[in-house]
Amino acid sequence: MSRGPDAATLLKRALERHGDAAGLEIAVRMAETTRWASATFAGARHQITLTLRDDAFGQAWLGALPDADLPLRGHLVADLAVIAITRRDARSIATVEALTVET
């Protein structure tokens, strides 16, 4: 019996849906996940590399991303930050770090 997608898969899908809803095509290039726990919570730390168009609209979307509502079944996004943006060939390559917590 499968429990469904893990937090990393849900987060990647949520980022793609959020970009799509904004009219942007977001592609996940790379994703790394590390399990995480505190005394009271369990979850995971994620580092995800995204590509999107390099224009004012794409940059605005990235700027607003840390405050975005990204619902994940069975998890919540406790923290999200865009830590790096590289521009190449009319595309932005953004590195995002996130902490998800199991609910």
Side-chain angles (χ1 to χ4, degrees), residues 46-48 62 66 80-86 93-98:
H46 310 271
Q47 187 172 75
I48 299 172
L62 285 171
L80 188 140
V82 178
I83 62 165
I85 302 172
T86 305
I93 303 166
T95 303
V96 175
E97 288 187 341

Side-chain angles (χ1 to χ4, degrees), residues 14-44:
L15 288 165
E16 290 169 341
R17 275 193 314 271
H18 190 266
D20 188 50
L24 290 169
E25 182 180 327
I26 306 298
V28 174
R29 294 182 58 166
M30 184 194 73
E32 295 178 4
T33 299
T34 305
R35 295 287 302 153
W36 170 89
S38 70
T40 54
F41 299 104

Side-chain angles (χ1 to χ4, degrees), residues 3 7 35-36 40-44 74-76 100-103:
R3 291 182 21 184
R35 295 287 302 153
W36 170 89
T40 54
F41 299 104
H75 306 269
L76 68 87
T100 56
V101 177
E102 296 172 6
T103 57

Side-chain angles (χ1 to χ4, degrees), residues 52-65:
L52 64 151
R53 69 182 191 229
D54 183 28
D55 61 10
F57 191 70
Q59 296 306 308
W61 183 82
L62 285 171
L65 190 56

